């Protein structure tokens, strides 16, 4: 059965949800087994070492860039159709949102995707932080935080199209994008084998985590090309998906229609849960004396507001949008690292546990 037959039989929304479930399961399983975590990578970098978590993150990021740019070169993905390049964007939102998100993920001990992974492993601190994150995302999209978010985003706008495409701004073009992607992957391979040497399974898992983002782009672009309805192409993003799942849980009458995000979040949870059970990592963990509840909740709010302001999280904007060489996505990724690094330094100076 080909894609056109699937769309005719099951409908666009259900096929999109199945695509999201497939991508989410692969990412969840790979991210759990490799301990993929942007926060941990930032902390290692701030400590002046390129350890286990930094090398895993960088290898996944390099694989993501190569996978997505390969789709672009083969004509299987049109970056201009994505929300990261096509419509107008916000430079102020990308920078300020990224800084807030980075500071928040230090406080919560994980970014949006990591909180979901840890929740599936029995971490109740991550589960609570994830719920607060989802509530804040929804409040920032269409609730009482929306006016503040809009005011900050309107500070410095940028036109859509070529003005948001770094490859067009720089004149490098698609082939230049592939060259940069290959260089990034080679750097990731260098750091990985400098740290892990012959751990081939971990390397494969890191690459799979990165390529799952390319898979999301490829599947949604294929569905959009076969559908008779308007379909938004997309990759992995856990901020909007978290808010959608929250609304779907609270009220089925007002929840959005089925789509890619509807399958993404629960399947990522299931993939991580399976990885934890297979690896013996599942363990219920609550708050202890040294855990600061206020830090977790404050961090979750900062991440939720920052994610909507910036247009995504570390995976959603940083990797998914960054793999298209979106100007605002790269600004968000850089700001997240800077915000996290600054927050880490403040924690160290205050003597707080991180």
């Amino acid at each position: 059965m080909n894609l056109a037959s699937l769309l005719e039989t099951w409908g666009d929304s259900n096929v999109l949800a199945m695509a999201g479930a497939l991508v989410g399961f692969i990412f969840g399983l790979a991210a759990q087994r490799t301990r993929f975590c942007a926060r941990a990578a930032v902390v290692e970098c701030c400590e002046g070492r390129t350890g286990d978590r930094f090398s895993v993150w960088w290898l996944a990021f390099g694989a993501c860039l190569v996978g997505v740019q390969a789709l672009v070169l083969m004509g299987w993905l049109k970056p201009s159709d994505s929300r990261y390049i096509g419509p107008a964007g916000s430079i102020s939102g990308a920078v300020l949102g990224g800084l807030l998100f980075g500071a928040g993920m230090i406080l919560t001990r994980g970014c949006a995707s990591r909180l979901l992974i840890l929740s599936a492993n029995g971490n109740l601190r991550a589960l609570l932080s994830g719920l607060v994150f989802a509530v804040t995302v929804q409040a920032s999209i269409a609730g009482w935080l929306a006016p503040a978010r809009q005011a900050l985003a309107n500070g410095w706008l940028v036109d859509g199209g070529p003005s948001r495409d770094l490859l067009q701004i720089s004149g490098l073009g698609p082939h230049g994008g592939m060259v940069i992607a290959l260089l990034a992957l080679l750097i990731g391979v260098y750091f990985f084998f400098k740290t892990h040497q012959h751990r081939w399974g971990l390397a494969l898992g890191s690459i799979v985590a990165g390529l799952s983002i390319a898979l999301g782009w490829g599947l949604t672009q294929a569905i959009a090309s076969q559908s008779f309805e308007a379909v938004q192409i997309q990759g992995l993003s856990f901020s909007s998906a978290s808010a959608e799942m929250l609304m779907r849980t609270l009220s089925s009458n007002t929840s959005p229609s089925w789509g890619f995000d509807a399958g993404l979040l629960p399947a990522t949870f299931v993939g991580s849960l399976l990885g934890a059970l297979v690896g013996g990592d599942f363990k219920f963990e609550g708050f202890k004396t040294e855990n600061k509840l206020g830090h977790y909740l404050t961090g979750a709010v900062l991440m939720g507001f920052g994610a909507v302001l910036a247009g995504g999280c570390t995976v959603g904007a940083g990797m998914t949008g960054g793999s298209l060489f979106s100007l605002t996505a790269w600004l968000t990724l850089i700001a997240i690292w800077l915000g996290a690094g600054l927050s880490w330094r403040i924690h160290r100076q205050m003597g707080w546990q991180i």
Side-chain angles (χ1 to χ4, degrees):
M1 180 178 289
N2 57 28
L3 180 57
S5 299
L6 278 176
L7 291 171
E8 184 177 353
T9 303
W10 296 99
D12 295 6
S13 58
N14 290 323
V15 174
L16 281 168
M18 288 188 284
L22 174 63
V23 174
F25 180 82
I26 294 172
F27 177 81
L29 180 60
Q32 195 282 330
R33 297 310 303 149
T34 59
R35 300 174 69 201
F36 174 83
C37 179
R39 176 196 178 274
V42 172
V43 170
E44 286 188 349
C45 187
C46 290
E47 292 175 346
R49 57 191 178 93
T50 53
D52 297 355
R53 313 300 281 278
F54 178 85
S55 58
V56 165
W57 185 89
W58 195 271
L59 184 59
F61 182 57
C64 169
L65 290 177
V66 170
V68 171
Q69 288 303 306
L71 291 176
V72 173
L73 281 177
M74 291 185 291
W76 295 350
L77 177 61
K78 299 177 181 178
S80 59
D81 292 343
S82 74
R83 69 178 180 89
Y84 297 101
I85 291 181
S90 170
I91 291 179
S92 58
V95 174
L96 295 175
L99 290 172
L100 291 173
F101 188 95
M105 77 177 186
I106 293 294
L107 291 168
T108 58
R109 301 183 67 83
C111 65
S113 61
R114 185 61 180 168
L115 292 180
L116 180 60
I117 299 296
L118 291 176
S119 297
N121 295 184
N123 191 315
L124 301 181
R125 302 189 302 272
L127 178 60
L128 176 60
S129 299
L131 289 174
V132 175
F133 170 78
V135 171
T136 307
V137 168
Q138 183 59 35
S140 302
I141 293 174
W144 62 278
L145 288 176
R149 187 258 305 169
Q150 292 169 351
L152 293 174
N154 290 334
W156 187 353
L157 300 176
V158 59
D159 293 335
S163 297
R164 290 185 72 185
D165 190 337
L166 283 172
L167 297 180
Q168 293 197 48
I169 294 172
S170 63
L172 292 174
H175 290 90
M178 177 56 80
V179 170
I180 295 174
L182 288 172
L183 287 174
L185 179 60
L186 289 175
I187 293 172
V189 169
Y190 168 77
F191 281 124
F192 186 91
F193 287 102
K194 177 184 177 181
T195 305
H196 299 285
Q197 296 183 350
H198 301 297
R199 297 185 63 182
W200 304 106
L202 187 61
L204 178 61
S206 303
I207 292 172
V208 168
L211 290 179
S212 64
I213 295 173
L215 179 62
W217 279 125
L219 287 176
T220 55
Q221 180 73 81
I223 293 171
S225 65
Q226 294 286 331
S227 175
F228 290 103
E229 300 179 8
V231 173
Q232 176 65 60
I233 65 169
Q234 63 187 102
L236 272 69
S237 180
F238 291 96
S239 51
S240 59
S242 297
E244 178 178 322
M245 183 55 64
L246 173 68
M247 299 305 294
R248 197 178 301 281
T249 302
L250 294 176
S251 174
S252 59
N253 294 327
T254 59
S255 61
S257 59
W258 282 84
F260 187 85
D261 285 344
L264 175 65
L265 209 70
T268 302
F269 186 93
V270 171
S272 177
L273 176 61
L274 177 62
L277 293 175
V278 170
D281 299 326
F282 186 87
K283 177 184 178 182
F284 283 113
E285 295 182 64
F287 286 92
K288 302 176 183 177
T289 303
E290 64 272 18
N291 300 137
K292 293 180 170 60
L293 176 61
H295 286 190
Y296 281 88
L297 299 184
T298 302
V301 171
L302 289 175
M303 281 205 307
F305 183 76
V308 179
L309 179 59
C313 55
T314 49
V315 172
M319 297 182 71
T320 301
S323 62
L324 298 178
F325 288 97
S326 162
L327 169 63
T328 49
W330 273 88
L331 288 175
T332 296
L333 180 60
I334 294 170
I336 287 174
W337 277 69
L338 290 175
L342 179 60
S343 179
W344 174 86
R345 186 171 296 277
I346 293 173
H347 271 67
R348 291 293 295 269
Q349 292 177 348
M350 299 294 293
W352 295 338
Q353 182 184 12
I354 56 175

